[in-house]
Amino acid sequence: MIHTSRYLLFELIWALPVLALQWVLGWRYLLGTWRLWVPALMALTLYLSLADAVAIQQGIWRFDETALVGLSVGNVPIEEVLFYGLTSAMILQGMVLGWFFLREREAFLGRLAPWRARRRQASLPAEEAHHRQGEGRNRCGGEDEILV
Amino acid sequence: MSYATFVAIFLGLPLALLCVFLRRRLRDGRLWKLMGILVIVALAYMAPWDHLAAVWGLWTWAPLQTWQKKLWAIPLEEYLFCLLETVLAVALMYALLTSRRARLAEQQERRPRA
């Protein structure tokens, strides 16, 4: 049983932890945008599986038949269809999460902007005083005068 | 058909079409930032896994249909396949996330409910 499921187990062990992590981190965003990424996932899986059929027919790659469960769509093993589904899901979901991460970051920095501006203003008098002190020193015989 | 030709036809071509479609939005820095990160992560995560599968003999490539140059046990075209699949998926998702439909849905969500 395990012998003939080697490819299937190999890809599931590889991909499922990543997908699980993505859902744990950003299930709100993934649920909120499912109307965008689910059709893209289906289209990519279908397209890449069709391309895979051509590659197999052309003999570009081949599989160890003893590692496959034996189900196939045309000449494409079901593991391959699943492979394209899993890889596409990892990338598409990664993109959705990255997109919203960047947006949240921008929004956070935007919310922080007034506070940072206030801090800058508050620190301005002290800085100015320091600056003026330095100017005064120069006027009353600083390094410049000595050099001259 | 060689592996490189296969990659060019089935990944390069749709990607080129998608780039033409997205031509006005290609200057968006967010797209390139996310694409760069996802490509690096995808290649780094795919390579050891693919290498192990090749070593175990789960799948093999026809030597005469590849460039016969390998990094670990994987032909260079396989890396190219992974790279272009990632770029294609990222560009497609970007097209959807910045589509008019997505922006309208977002505006509706932000609008205060009466």
Side-chain angles (χ1 to χ4, degrees):
Chain A
M1 176 68 185
I2 287 177
H3 190 70
T4 57
S5 313
R6 273 179 294 152
Y7 183 4
L8 185 67
L9 289 173
F10 191 56
E11 66 183 353
L12 289 177
I13 289 168
W14 177 67
L16 288 184
V18 175
L19 293 173
L21 184 67
Q22 287 178 330
W23 276 90
V24 167
L25 289 175
W27 62 273
R28 280 173 205 272
Y29 301 114
L30 295 173
L31 269 186
T33 53
W34 75 270
R35 277 174 218 270
L36 295 175
W37 63 264
V38 168
L41 173 62
M42 288 162 72
L44 267 179
T45 306
L46 181 68
Y47 175 72
L48 293 171
S49 299
L50 287 171
D52 196 66
V54 177
I56 293 169
Q57 187 261 326
Q58 292 285 321
I60 297 172
W61 53 70
R62 61 177 61 211
F63 307 97
D64 176 3
E65 297 286 334
T66 66
L68 304 174
V69 289
L71 294 171
S72 59
V73 185
N75 62 347
V76 182
I78 202 77
E79 289 91 341
E80 277 290 273
V81 179
L82 189 63
F83 168 78
Y84 292 116
L86 291 170
T87 50
S88 300
M90 285 193 278
I91 305 164
L92 293 170
Q93 292 185 171
M95 178 66 184
V96 169
L97 295 182
W99 183 257
F100 284 100
F101 171 76
L102 286 184
R103 277 190 33 180
E104 293 286 328
R105 189 169 154 267
E106 271 170 29
F108 177 71
L109 290 176
R111 280 199 298 274
L112 223 60
W115 178 77
R116 287 169 83 179
R118 271 203 304 275
R119 260 196 70 165
R120 208 176 299 129
Q121 265 185 341
S123 66
L124 260 181
E127 268 177 33
E128 269 176 19
H130 183 74
H131 187 66
R132 275 195 209 113
Q133 242 180 4
E135 277 178 355
R137 242 200 327 270
N138 280 348
R139 243 177 263 129
C140 307
E143 277 177 19
D144 292 349
E145 280 188 22
I146 293 166
L147 282 170
V148 168
Chain B
M1 187 195 289
S2 71
Y3 195 169
T5 310
F6 169 79
V7 169
I9 294 172
F10 287 98
L11 290 171
L13 208 62
L15 191 57
L17 291 175
L18 200 52
C19 283
V20 171
F21 177 72
L22 285 172
R23 65 191 178 282
R24 284 174 204 274
R25 286 180 259 172
L26 284 181
R27 282 190 175 188
D28 191 343
R30 293 171 298 180
L31 168 67
W32 300 108
K33 198 181 281 180
L34 291 171
M35 191 178 281
I37 293 168
L38 287 168
V39 162
I40 291 169
V41 171
L43 284 171
Y45 197 57
M46 174 282 288
W49 178 79
D50 209 344
H51 170 75
L52 211 57
V55 169
W56 288 347
L58 286 183
W59 52 79
T60 50
W61 299 271
L64 292 178
Q65 283 162 279
T66 65
W67 292 326
Q68 302 191 13
K69 287 201 171 80
K70 287 185 177 180
L71 208 61
W72 286 353
I74 313 164
L76 287 186
E77 294 94 327
E78 184 83 346
Y79 292 95
L80 197 60
F81 184 95
C82 173
L83 188 147
L84 289 181
E85 184 193 347
T86 308
V87 172
L88 181 68
V90 166
L92 180 65
M93 198 62 238
Y94 173 77
L96 293 168
L97 284 167
T98 54
S99 63
R100 189 174 292 172
R101 191 179 144 203
R103 274 177 291 165
L104 280 176
E106 198 178 317
Q107 276 169 6
Q108 275 178 349
E109 209 168 277
R110 278 186 189 172
R111 202 171 293 153
R113 290 189 181 97

